[in-house]
């Protein structure tokens, strides 16, 4: 998937990392909240990128820890990173929200079940909003958080606020 390629190549553009370090960055940056990316897919992805010649690996041994592979971007990987950036930035913006499958089918449920579904979405939105606000508060003063990372967090916060306003506007809640 091009998006996962872009995420991994972008991280390796900053500095060489192990697959474990990439996975930890994905967790720290909450990337899996807005892109479907799992821990196994990261490990598979770095191997695929290496097979394509976009990254190289070198073994690294620290103390008694098992040897691990450290991945770095190649010149071909740099070109692919730039190509993906331009390609994906040039695509229409699509916002896929899993709960939209519930929304389009809401009218097929009895009113009490409709309310229950909307209450579940409302509860989950409130939970996500609280986590985003905590994350924003914690990272707002951190010097090592890039402005683009903060922009993504603010974007997610604005989206969740919009979802909350929409839920409040639905008459059957």
């Amino acid at each position: 998937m091009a998006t996962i390629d872009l995420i991994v190549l972008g991280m390796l553009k900053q500095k060489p990392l192990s697959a474990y370090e990439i996975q930890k960055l994905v967790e720290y940056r909450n990337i899996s909240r807005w892109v479907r990316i799992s821990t196994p897919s990261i490990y598979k992805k770095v191997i695929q990128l290496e097979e394509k010649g976009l990254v190289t690996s070198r073994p690294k041994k620290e103390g008694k820890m098992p040897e691990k592979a450290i991945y770095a971007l190649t010149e071909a990987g740099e070109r692919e990173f730039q190509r993906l950036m331009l390609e994906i930035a040039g695509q229409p913006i699509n916002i896929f929200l899993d709960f939209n499958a519930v929304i389009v089918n809401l009218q097929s449920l009895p009113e009490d079940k409709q309310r229950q579904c909307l209450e579940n979405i409302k509860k989950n939105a409130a939970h996500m909003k609280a986590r985003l606000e905590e994350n924003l508060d914690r990272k707002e003063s951190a010097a090592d958080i890039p402005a683009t990372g903060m922009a993504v967090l603010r974007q997610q916060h604005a989206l969740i606020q919009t979802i909350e306003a929409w839920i409040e506007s639905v008459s059957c809640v």
Side-chain angles (χ1 to χ4, degrees), residues 19-33:
Y20 176 78
E21 291 168 322
I22 294 169
Q23 183 256 324
K24 285 298 173 192
L25 276 172
V26 165
E27 286 177 19
Y28 176 72
R29 295 178 180 172
N30 291 313
I31 292 171
S32 59
R33 293 242 171 254

Side-chain angles (χ1 to χ4, degrees), residues 126-164:
H127 178 72
M128 184 176 186
K129 183 180 179 183
R131 288 194 13 219
L132 280 167
E133 287 174 349
E134 177 186 317
N135 206 358
L136 278 165
D137 288 344
R138 189 178 58 233
K139 292 180 179 172
E140 202 106 90
S141 59
D144 64 331
I145 306 298
T148 53
M150 290 304 296
V152 169
L153 285 174
R154 288 186 190 103
Q155 174 198 58
Q156 290 175 338
H157 189 258
L159 179 59
I160 207 68
Q161 287 176 313
T162 302
I163 291 168
E164 285 180 325

